[in-house]
């Protein structure tokens, strides 16, 4: 492993209008919070070098690594349904790309490293709390097996940022298979810049959907590819109780990775209309709205490519509609397959969705904890002795009993040995998710007491979400009434 970062920056080779060249801000006294050593190894970057004084300066944007070409990417976006023709990286700087050990191209981006031409009124900075939240939740998602951007490192800057009060400033080094968003396409479409849309599509196809290059209509194949990946992604979110919180088109990645962890949160008690984000007053991005919003966003993507799909507008619309129509089937199939696995059903039968929905309805009515219900169901799959701990999660425990009878009758139709079934269930129903109250506690300890021990402890547990880890059982607990977090906030 070399002491250098082997950059190869393909986005910076795109036409000038795609980005602005920028220089990160020079901060006072950066200090290391954490380097993700396993991820550094995957990327072929020397973790010891990142932890050295020079490395910490790089992670804070104070020193540019050789080969970096810092740019802020241009993009537009629909924010809560309202189109903004120019957003862009206002507090993020793309250092460049590396090809990882598995041959995958990955972006290295500093989030919170200072102002860019896209900062508008913002300061280009990030506060420590949101940096920690993104680090914790994105790494938890990766360990859960969900496509996501990653956190390579976090540092404090030694400078304060003002967010109603003064808070410690921090920088997150984000790794993504790219930072191309639905909003990137919208940016050029809004300018009527067809040449740029062609170049962007070619770049996105080469990077993420190489098979589309040989398709009869590469633009349609690109849309179809993004539709499929987003359908699978949002199904995973729902199966795990994840709420993104700000599914604006600028926060939806063409790669199919979860991106931009702002006011995101996992459900504690299950309810489909749950919203945590303080700014989502209409519930646009509520838990159960996420598939519909994903399709809405993908429709905005398809619109940007209509003139390239077919010179005849009506024909283009018909073809785009067809590509988008794949979303619902793909989502429904992935979501149902996920539910079957959660319930321990190895075979597909009619009525499975209704069986799962019946449980979810009872959970919603009885405020049952989402993650604990499914995890404890793994024990119930081993025998009725396990039922007591599931039913105790329901406000009226008898609400579980009628459903459990139905479930057992359905399980009995399959020949799978109980031990294998419950083991398979434990591989899809996590014991540990980044519970909001745990994330908050880790942030408070760091911000108020410079104590990063709770952050480290939480990360260690979340790295193995499907293992019981009895010594850390408390991390699986639902919040007590006084610990419950009901609102989360954007990083801005
Ligand atoms: P987000 O809500 O985090 O997806 O951000 C939406 C837009 O606001 C993006 O263009 C960001 O770059 C920009 N933005 C967010 N926070 C800041 C900040 N502190 N300074 C400058 N721009 C920001
Ligand atoms: Mg964003």
């Amino acid at each position: 492993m070399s002491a250098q970062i082997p950059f190869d920056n393909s986005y910076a080779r795109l036409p000038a209008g795609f980005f602005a060249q920028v220089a990160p801000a020079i901060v006072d006294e950066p200090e290391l919070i954490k380097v993700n050593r396993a991820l550094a190894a995957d990327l072929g970057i020397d973790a010891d070098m990142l932890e050295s004084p020079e490395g910490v300066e790089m992670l804070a944007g104070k020193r540019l690594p050789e080969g970096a070409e810092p740019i802020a990417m241009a993009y537009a976006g629909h924010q809560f349904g309202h189109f903004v023709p120019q957003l862009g990286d206002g507090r993020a700087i793309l250092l460049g790309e590396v090809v990882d050990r598995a041959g995958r191209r990955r972006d290295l981006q500093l989030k919170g490293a200072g102002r860019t031409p896209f900062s508008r009124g913002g300061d280009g900075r990030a506060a420590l709390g949101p940096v920690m939240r993104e680090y914790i939740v994105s790494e938890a998602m990766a360990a859960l097996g969900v496509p996501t951007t990653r956190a390579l490192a976090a540092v404090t800057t030694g400078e304060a940022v003002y967010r109603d009060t003064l808070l410690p400033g921090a920088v997150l080094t984000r790794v993504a298979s790219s930072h191309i968003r639905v909003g990137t396409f919208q940016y050029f479409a809004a300018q009527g810049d067809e040449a740029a849309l062609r170049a962007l599509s070619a770049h996105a196809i080469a990077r993420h959907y190489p098979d589309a290059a040989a398709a009869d209509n590469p633009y349609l194949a690109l849309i179809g590819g993004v539709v499929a990946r987003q359908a699978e992604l949002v199904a995973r979110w729902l199966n795990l109780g994840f709420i993104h919180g700000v599914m604006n088109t600028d926060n939806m990645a063409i790669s199919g990775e979860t991106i931009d962890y702002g006011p995101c949160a996992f459900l504690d008690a299950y309810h489909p209309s749950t919203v945590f984000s303080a700014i989502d007053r209409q519930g646009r991005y509520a838990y159960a709205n996420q598939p519909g919003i994903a399709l809405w966003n993908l429709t905005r993507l398809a619109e940007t490519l209509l003139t390239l799909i077919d010179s005849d507008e009506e024909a283009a619309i018909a073809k785009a509609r067809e590509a988008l129509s794949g979303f619902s089937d793909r989502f429904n199939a992935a979501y149902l397959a996920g539910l079957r696995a959660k319930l321990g059903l190895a075979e597909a039968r009619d009525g499975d969705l209704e069986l799962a929905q019946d449980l979810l309805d009872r959970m919603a009515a009885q405020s049952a904890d989402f993650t604990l219900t499914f995890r404890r169901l793994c024990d119930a799959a081993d025998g009725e002795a396990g039922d007591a701990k599931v039913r105790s999660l329901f406000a009226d425990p008898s609400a579980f009993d009628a459903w459990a009878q139905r479930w057992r009758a359905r399980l009995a139709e399959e020949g799978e040995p109980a031990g294998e079934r419950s083991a398979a269930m434990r591989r899809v129903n996590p014991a540990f998710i980044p519970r909001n109250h745990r994330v908050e506690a880790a942030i408070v300890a760091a911000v108020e007491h410079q104590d990063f021990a709770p952050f480290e402890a939480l990360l260690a547990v979340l790295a193995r979400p499907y293992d019981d880890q009895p010594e850390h059982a408390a991390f699986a607990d639902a919040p007590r009434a006084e610990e419950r977090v009901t609102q989360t906030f954007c990083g801005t």
Side-chain angles (χ1 to χ4, degrees):
M1 227 178 273
S2 95
Q4 295 200 331
I5 301 177
F7 283 109
D8 174 38
N9 308 324
S10 65
Y11 205 84
R13 294 194 285 267
L14 286 167
F18 279 60
F19 51 81
Q21 285 170 333
V22 289
I26 305 297
V27 297
D28 258 4
E29 279 185 66
E31 275 186 49
L32 184 64
I33 300 171
K34 188 167 182 68
V35 166
N36 184 340
R37 297 188 65 95
L39 180 58
D42 286 348
L43 295 171
I45 300 175
D46 183 351
D48 291 334
M49 183 277 288
L50 292 179
E51 289 176 351
S52 72
E54 293 75 25
V56 173
E57 289 189 348
M58 284 180 196
L59 296 170
K62 192 173 183 178
R63 173 195 293 258
L64 269 188
E66 203 176 306
E69 295 174 82
I71 57 174
M73 290 168 65
Y75 54 83
H78 274 93
Q79 299 187 304
F80 290 90
H82 302 286
F83 186 63
V84 183
Q86 183 174 304
L87 290 166
D89 287 332
R91 57 158 166 190
I93 295 176
L94 179 65
L95 287 181
E97 302 152 29
V98 298
V99 176
D100 72 14
R101 284 186 168 170
R104 290 172 304 180
R105 181 174 292 276
R106 321 268 296 261
D107 278 3
L108 295 191
Q109 189 202 60
L110 301 181
K111 202 170 166 183
R115 287 179 54 79
T116 77
F118 303 112
S119 296
R120 295 169 289 165
D123 60 4
R125 307 293 183 141
L128 177 56
V131 164
M132 290 176 65
R133 174 180 286 277
E134 174 152 357
Y135 196 120
I136 294 166
V137 183
S138 66
E139 286 305 299
M141 291 286 266
L144 287 163
V146 183
T148 177
T149 63
R150 302 290 304 271
L152 176 63
V155 298
T156 49
T157 59
E159 294 179 3
V161 296
Y162 188 72
R163 303 281 183 270
D164 296 329
T165 71
L166 284 175
L167 294 169
V171 177
L172 179 84
T173 305
R174 177 159 73 179
V175 176
S177 65
S178 87
H179 285 85
I180 306 167
R181 305 144 191 273
V182 170
T184 318
F185 284 83
Q186 291 181 291
Y187 178 78
F188 296 112
Q191 299 173 7
D193 189 343
E194 236 176 60
L197 284 167
R198 279 181 209 280
L200 179 62
S201 299
H203 181 85
I205 287 172
R207 250 173 118 160
H208 302 301
Y209 302 93
D211 293 348
D216 287 345
N217 190 322
Y219 302 103
L220 273 180
L222 170 63
I223 295 167
V226 183
V227 162
R229 282 195 205 162
Q230 286 292 339
E232 302 271 344
L233 179 68
V234 177
R236 295 300 310 277
W237 290 358
L238 264 55
N239 287 152
L240 289 165
F242 177 75
I243 305 171
H244 181 285
V246 226
M247 288 177 71
N248 293 336
T249 54
D250 51 306
N251 293 337
M252 183 183 260
I254 294 301
S255 66
E257 289 178 339
T258 311
I259 192 169
D260 273 7
Y261 293 87
C264 59
F266 281 73
L267 292 170
D268 291 307
Y270 172 74
H271 201 286
S273 60
T274 305
V275 176
F276 287 102
S277 170
I279 56 169
D280 190 2
R281 296 206 180 81
Q282 314 285 324
R284 178 180 170 91
Y285 300 138
Y287 169 82
N289 283 357
Q290 296 180 112
I293 287 292
L295 178 56
W296 191 89
N297 289 350
L298 292 164
T299 307
R300 305 288 82 77
L301 172 67
E303 285 167 358
T304 69
L305 294 175
L306 283 176
T307 55
L308 298 178
I309 289 170
D310 198 308
S311 52
D312 177 72
E313 193 184 348
E314 266 178 45
I317 291 173
K319 289 175 188 175
R321 280 229 171 92
E322 162 128 31
L324 291 165
S325 73
F327 182 87
S328 295
D329 283 349
R330 191 89 181 212
F331 170 79
N332 289 333
Y335 176 66
L336 177 56
L339 285 175
R340 277 202 182 97
K342 290 177 85 68
L343 296 182
L345 306 176
E347 299 164 14
R349 300 269 164 94
D350 286 347
D352 290 347
L353 182 60
E354 290 72 18
L355 178 70
Q357 191 58 50
D358 185 14
L359 175 63
L360 291 168
D361 291 345
R362 288 164 194 261
M363 288 164 64
Q366 304 295 326
S367 305
D369 184 85
F370 183 85
T371 303
L372 284 176
T373 298
F374 286 104
R375 185 68 180 185
R376 293 186 184 175
L377 211 54
C378 308
D379 297 331
D382 283 328
E384 287 180 35
D387 285 17
K389 282 194 161 168
V390 191
R391 63 198 302 282
S392 69
L393 297 168
F394 290 65
D396 171 6
S398 69
F400 174 70
D401 300 336
W403 180 83
Q405 272 192 0
R406 222 180 134 185
W407 176 53
R408 289 221 160 77
R410 171 66 183 81
L411 292 181
E413 293 173 18
E414 300 191 3
E416 197 182 18
E420 281 175 31
R421 170 182 294 138
S422 60
M425 289 172 72
R426 287 189 189 92
R427 288 193 292 271
V428 296
N429 292 315
F432 301 101
I433 49 147
R435 296 255 180 203
N436 307 320
H437 65 296
R438 289 279 174 184
V439 175
E440 283 302 319
I443 291 171
V444 168
V447 172
E448 292 181 7
H449 310 290
Q450 294 75 53
D451 176 8
F452 286 91
F455 171 69
E456 291 286 349
L458 187 54
L459 285 176
V461 172
L462 294 173
R464 294 164 41 215
Y466 298 106
D467 293 349
D468 269 322
Q469 308 183 56
E471 67 282 21
H472 299 303
F475 284 85
D477 290 346
R480 294 191 302 272
E482 71 276 16
E483 291 175 323
R484 207 167 288 147
V485 173
T486 54
Q487 276 201 326
T488 51
F489 299 87
C490 274
T492 45

